[in-house]
Amino acid sequence: MDFLAENWAHVVEWFSYSGRILPSLLQGGKITLLVFALTLVLSLPLGLVFGLMRISKIPPLRWIASAYIWVLRGTPLLLQLYFVYYGLPSMGLTLEAIPSAVVAFTLNYSAYFAEIYRGGIQSIDRGQYEAAKALGYTGGQTMWKIIIPQTLSRIIPPITNETITLVKDTALITSISISELLRAAKGAVNRDLDTTAFLLAAILYLFFTLILTIIFKFTEKRFSRHIRRES
Amino acid sequence: MAILEVQNLVKNFGSLQVLKGIDFETEKGQVTAILGPSGSGKSTFIRCLNRLEKITSGKISIDNEVLADTQDGKVVYAPEKEARRICGKTGMVFQSFNLFPHMTVIDNITAAPITVQKRSQAEAEETAAELLKRVGLLEKAKQYPSSLSGGQQQRVAIARALALKPEILFFDEPTSALDPELTGEVLRVIRDLAAEHMTMLIVTHEIEFALGVADRVVFMDGGHIVESGTADALINHPKNERTRAFLNRMHEV
Ligand SMILES: Nc1ncnc2c1ncn2[C@@H]1O[C@H](COP(=O)(O)OP(=O)(O)O)[C@@H](O)[C@H]1O
Ligand SMILES: [Mg+2]
């Protein structure tokens, strides 16, 4: 208590400083959130397309998907980001910084999601396909109504992991001069010679990943109702 | 009138010939039990009848519609949509049940009528409830398959197959995956169906059951139908040496 009393003025000063820089951090946080959300919304379905191509009966589709996944998982995301932002203009396609980030992240994450979907689909027993076929389901109906719904409880945990990695990977876009959360924090630190902004940024990232974890846990439960839990 | 006609059915897996020219017919309302040692091609035979396996040559007709035929040594199947409609007259019950684990019992039964036959949800549910009552599992309607015993799951699987109102029902060792004390409840359901003159083809190792339920028994060995006849004739008075040897072995265990 003595310590608190002696340093009371500092504590008050710290909170009032934090309050002053928070709006600019939240402004950056909005950009982070935007890139995150767009990437997720676009890469989840795109990943499914490549995941299904990857196990297609048509060889060229399989080859294309394999090559795509290999390239995007085998090179650094930062390099892919540079390629889209700095490299594509020389090929006649110029994108603003934020669209570049969304494109690069979407392509990269769709490759990871494709592998998760593929693993999920391939983990389903052959008997499920046979039962569906014996009941007269078409291939498409079997996939959408029988197979994919069963993969959900299995793919949500790895998708959660990737999504949390995505939150943190958004910090990379600071390198193409996007004013996202990390850049906003760094700006405040450089200007005020005070590292408080980094701490606040960390808290914001943590808050964000915590919310995501809770949402995914809830979703996982929802899709695991059919699995009997041994008590 | 034959509801199912098979002529000179051959099935190869790579260089292995598993079915070596099967000729088979069944009448409406007839119950046929298929006996035979493991590996003799019983499963492959019935899996060919609903396209779970593609045949190598021969001819299959269901309800007087040609599913597959062989011309100039090449198998020609009915176009996909036609083939699916023709096979829709058959239903299948698997050894391992293969219920859909993500659906409740009632959804397992209504899913195909709704998705495949475009029936209304209400109609499908009404049929499903009747079928569940018939197999004695109405109170399990809202449960998931994982909470049911094997015998209960197999009874749901039978209800699921019946919901599509098939002309003919195939069973591939429906009780082989069950604990002995659970086979009775499944066999009872099949006996009830036989009493209602459901056309059925049943692969089984339950000799007593076959004797009781089947109008006719077929004995398969090495990819051939070795002998067939009434249940009594084939089981109690087998003519073929291999049939006799097989039945003796079955009686020993
Ligand atoms: N998908 C397959 N690929 C290769 N061989 C198979 C396949 N399915 C069955 N066989 C072989 O075909 C033979 C007959 O098998 P099956 O029809 O399952 O016999 P049964 O049901 O009478 O035990 C066996 O030798 C088995 O190994
Ligand atoms: Mg078998």
Side-chain angles (χ1 to χ4, degrees), chain B residues 7-213:
Chain B
Q7 284 163 26
N8 199 20
L9 171 53
V10 172
K11 171 65 185 175
N12 298 343
F13 285 114
S15 59
L16 179 70
Q17 189 160 84
V18 172
L19 299 177
K20 299 175 178 166
I22 303 278
D23 292 303
F24 182 88
E25 264 192 36
T26 190
E27 307 288 318
K28 213 168 164 49
Q30 195 174 32
V31 178
T32 307
I34 302 176
L35 304 182
S38 176
S40 57
K42 307 180 298 294
S43 296
T44 305
F45 174 53
I46 59 174
R47 290 164 58 84
C48 283
L49 304 179
N50 63 357
R51 297 189 307 155
L52 289 183
E53 303 291 355
K54 279 232 165 349
I55 67 174
T56 304
S57 68
K59 180 176 182 184
I60 299 174
S61 312
I62 296 168
D63 205 9
N64 291 318
E65 295 190 275
V66 178
L67 173 66
D69 198 357
T70 305
Q71 283 149 13
D72 307 325
K74 245 182 79 80
V75 175
V76 183
Y77 271 87
E80 172 62 25
K81 233 178 135 182
E82 275 296 288
R84 212 179 316 119
R85 186 182 58 73
I86 296 171
C87 287
K89 298 180 179 188
T90 73
M92 176 118 168
V93 175
F94 299 86
Q95 180 176 338
S96 49
F97 329 135
N98 295 341
L99 290 179
F100 303 133
H102 62 302
M103 297 182 188
T104 59
V105 162
I106 186 120
D107 289 346
N108 261 279
I109 300 173
T110 58
I114 292 170
T115 302
V116 175
Q117 295 183 335
K118 310 291 175 210
R119 293 182 194 278
S120 73
Q121 170 108 13
E123 185 193 349
E125 280 181 2
E126 197 177 316
T127 310
E130 276 167 32
L131 288 167
L132 277 176
K133 207 184 289 169
R134 217 158 114 189
V135 300
L137 289 170
L138 190 54
E139 80 283 2
K140 302 282 186 194
K142 296 284 183 217
Q143 301 208 11
Y144 285 96
S146 60
S147 67
L148 270 55
S149 73
Q152 291 170 332
Q153 290 190 48
Q154 192 62 300
R155 285 187 277 155
V156 173
I158 294 172
R160 178 176 71 173
L162 288 172
L164 292 168
K165 305 183 172 44
E167 297 285 335
I168 177 166
L169 208 46
F170 306 137
F171 293 82
D172 190 3
E173 300 195 30
T175 59
S176 294
L178 299 176
D179 294 333
E181 72 272 19
L182 298 178
T183 60
E185 60 191 68
V186 172
L187 297 181
R188 201 170 314 127
V189 169
I190 301 175
R191 268 191 213 103
D192 289 346
L193 289 172
E196 293 163 27
H197 302 293
M198 179 78 207
T199 316
M200 295 187 281
L201 229 65
I202 310 168
V203 176
T204 183
H205 289 300
E206 309 267 350
I207 306 285
E208 287 305 311
F209 166 70
L211 193 55
V213 79

Side-chain angles (χ1 to χ4, degrees), chain A residues 57-206:
Chain A
K57 285 197 205 102
I58 304 161
L61 290 183
R62 274 204 311 272
W63 300 333
I64 291 169
S66 298
Y68 178 87
I69 292 166
W70 178 59
V71 169
L72 284 148
R73 296 204 315 166
T75 57
L77 173 54
L78 188 56
L79 183 64
Q80 294 164 21
L81 184 62
Y82 285 161
F83 180 78
V84 172
Y85 188 57
Y86 299 115
L88 285 187
S90 68
M91 298 160 81
L93 180 65
T94 306
L95 294 173
E96 299 285 314
I98 290 180
S100 294
V102 171
V103 167
F105 274 62
T106 297
L107 296 180
N108 181 272
Y109 272 81
S110 68
Y112 284 92
F113 288 142
E115 283 297 89
I116 293 176
Y117 290 126
R118 179 184 66 83
I121 291 170
Q122 288 183 334
S123 73
I124 303 298
D125 185 66
R126 209 173 52 129
Q128 295 291 306
Y129 292 89
E130 296 187 346
K133 185 162 189 189
L135 290 167
Y137 281 69
T138 63
Q141 289 168 338
T142 303
M143 205 33 99
W144 288 109
K145 297 191 180 252
I146 306 298
I147 305 301
I148 289 177
Q150 288 183 54
T151 66
L152 291 180
S153 62
R154 302 180 196 196
I155 64 175
I156 287 173
I159 284 181
T160 310
N161 289 339
E162 286 304 325
T163 305
I164 285 170
T165 305
L166 171 59
V167 172
K168 296 176 290 181
D169 275 351
T170 56
L172 289 175
I173 65 178
T174 190
S175 63
I176 56 169
S177 307
I178 294 174
S179 318
E180 45 67 70
L181 178 53
L182 183 63
R183 178 169 284 259
K186 194 147 173 271
V189 170
N190 287 343
R191 186 185 63 231
D192 304 334
L193 300 177
D194 183 331
T195 54
T196 298
F198 284 150
L199 182 64
L200 293 179
I203 292 171
L204 287 176
Y205 280 118
L206 281 174

